[in-house]
Amino acid sequence: MKLADLGEFGFIDRLRRRTDAGEGVLLGIGDDCAAVVTPPGETLLMTSDLLIEGVHFRRDWTDWHRLGRKCVAVNVSDIAAMGGTPRFLLLGLGLPPQLPLAELDGLIDGFLEGARTYGALLVGGDTCRSPQGLFISVTAQGSVPREELVGRGGARPGQAIYVSGTLGDSALALRELLAGRTPDSFLASRHHDPSARVELGRRLAAARLPTAMIDLSDGLLADLGHVLASSGAGARIELERLPLSPSFRRALVEDPAAIDLALNGGEDYELLFAVPSDREEALAALTRGAEPPLTRIGVVTSATGEINVVDGKGRLYQSQQRGYNHFAPNT
Ligand code: ADP
Ligand code: MG
């Protein structure tokens, strides 16, 4: 069966029957707007992401279920970066009419599973025909106690810089795919099925540890650059401290230049944050043994706008490229 056989309203009705009523939802799918309530005293967080066929995903590399999960993860990752709790999701779909229903169902299954993973509820959206290619727009709403909100602007010289998890795995998987090779299953899942660090972001914010935080979607140096621009500061990053997975390290042995993927590769969806040095013990106590682990990769400096990456001997490392920019001349 094709989507064209079911029609817009048939599709929406199926979707409505699959979404559960949930906490905070007065009206979900089926009215002109969703009507929701957020906990009293909490600030509303809103964020939107577009995923476009041929730009963000290729049908031949993607299984639909994982794509659905990824749509949610990349979006709630931004809520995590503010220290918030994801609550409600809106899903905009531009669908080719000839799309087999089984594929669309896979996408929706994955989306709903992703939503459940992060405790968020699908409350509405829009569905349109797309003459060419699949187009997915996800909007997440979340909330955070006002005094726990973490922006990008609070990093100050002397503070330590931490990241969660490992860097560069997703970019390495993408490089393998582009070269016609098959990444190992760990790397592939880091690329196709990333985890948003929602629980970690929430815990850090509730403990009031980060002065600035961002999720890594465009690459470490690019996203750190965003934090530093907002904060009016610079940074020194120690190359040898970058957290790397065993799969990534294996690739490095053959190709030392692959380290650039840890610095500039996108789609890690890890959290990067700054912490005052007198709070580092509290951070260690809070996160000891936790998954994902945290790694201290450098310090904030007063050299506004400058990121110095230094190797084990203290020499400046010149990175080959900057993070992903949709409108850069070479794209
Ligand atoms: P309207 O014309 O008033 O915008 P629609 O016919 O577009 O309403 O949508 C009807 C209902 O179905 C709304 O509650 C809307 O939020 C929901 N909806 C439509 N498409 C989606 C989707 N892709 N995901 C979730 N909800 C959807
Ligand atoms: Mg509409």
Side-chain angles (χ1 to χ4, degrees):
M1 190 147 117
K2 304 268 189 228
L3 179 61
D5 307 322
L6 189 62
E8 177 188 344
F9 299 107
F11 169 70
I12 293 174
D13 197 49
R14 269 164 70 118
L15 197 54
R16 186 179 55 74
R17 281 187 270 115
R18 295 197 54 193
T19 52
D20 352 287
E23 197 191 327
V25 182
L26 305 181
L27 291 170
I29 293 175
D31 217 307
D32 292 310
C33 291
V36 300
V37 287
T38 43
E42 297 206 355
T43 298
L44 190 60
L45 302 170
M46 296 192 276
T47 178
S48 216
D49 282 290
L50 286 178
L51 290 99
I52 297 172
E53 184 175 342
V55 179
H56 299 94
F57 62 92
R58 279 175 45 166
R59 283 202 218 180
D60 49 341
W61 293 344
T62 305
D63 95 57
W64 293 86
H65 190 93
R66 289 207 290 189
L67 180 61
R69 288 171 53 90
K70 184 170 180 174
C71 290
V72 177
V74 305
N75 201 228
V76 302
S77 178
D78 286 312
I79 303 267
M82 309 299 285
T85 303
R87 299 194 181 278
F88 310 113
L89 298 170
L90 297 169
L91 175 60
L93 291 171
L95 302 172
Q98 292 315 312
L99 190 70
L101 210 52
E103 301 193 345
L104 183 56
D105 283 342
L107 180 78
I108 298 293
D109 285 348
F111 188 93
L112 294 175
E113 185 181 289
R116 274 193 302 277
T117 303
Y118 301 108
L121 296 160
L122 178 63
V123 296
D126 202 18
T127 307
C128 300
R129 184 172 73 87
S130 164
Q132 235 173 40
L134 185 63
F135 182 99
I136 306 167
S137 161
V138 187
T139 299
Q141 284 194 336
S143 66
V144 62
R146 188 170 305 207
E147 62 285 359
E148 294 173 11
L149 176 68
V150 189
R152 295 179 177 182
R156 297 292 175 264
Q159 294 179 350
I161 299 170
Y162 283 81
V163 289
S164 64
T166 55
L167 301 173
D169 300 318
S170 175
L172 178 58
L174 182 61
R175 191 183 76 170
E176 294 299 287
L177 287 165
L178 286 168
R181 293 188 292 264
T182 307
D184 75 29
S185 64
F186 169 80
L187 294 172
S189 87
R190 291 279 286 161
H191 181 68
H192 292 303
D193 194 13
S195 297
R197 303 308 189 185
V198 168
E199 209 246 338
L200 174 65
R202 187 65 217 112
R203 275 213 293 160
L204 294 170
R208 312 269 198 102
L209 290 165
T211 55
M213 186 152 65
I214 193 168
D215 67 314
L216 297 179
S217 53
D218 296 336
L220 172 70
L221 294 186
D223 288 318
L224 174 60
H226 297 146
V227 166
L228 298 173
S230 294
S231 298
R236 189 175 68 247
I237 297 298
E238 293 179 48
L239 202 56
E240 297 204 332
R241 289 194 184 221
L242 298 184
L244 306 174
S245 68
S247 296
F248 194 94
R249 285 185 188 282
R250 273 195 294 279
L252 262 191
V253 173
E254 283 173 25
D255 174 17
I259 190 66
D260 244 57
L261 297 171
L263 291 167
N264 295 303
E267 298 206 295
D268 291 314
Y269 299 107
E270 297 295 344
L271 292 177
L272 174 138
F273 56 95
V275 189
S277 51
D278 62 358
R279 302 284 280 147
E280 286 185 87
E281 258 176 51
L283 176 68
L286 182 76
T287 57
R288 190 163 292 129
E291 258 315 304
L294 300 181
T295 308
R296 187 188 203 275
I297 60 165
V299 290
V300 182
T301 67
S302 55
T304 307
E306 258 181 54
I307 304 176
N308 291 319
V309 180
V310 295
D311 68 14
K313 300 195 172 80
R315 290 176 308 212
L316 221 50
Y317 174 81
Q318 282 302 333
S319 165
Q320 303 306 307
Q321 50 155 99
R322 270 294 170 119
Y324 190 70
N325 174 343
H326 278 271
F327 298 105
N330 59 348
T331 58

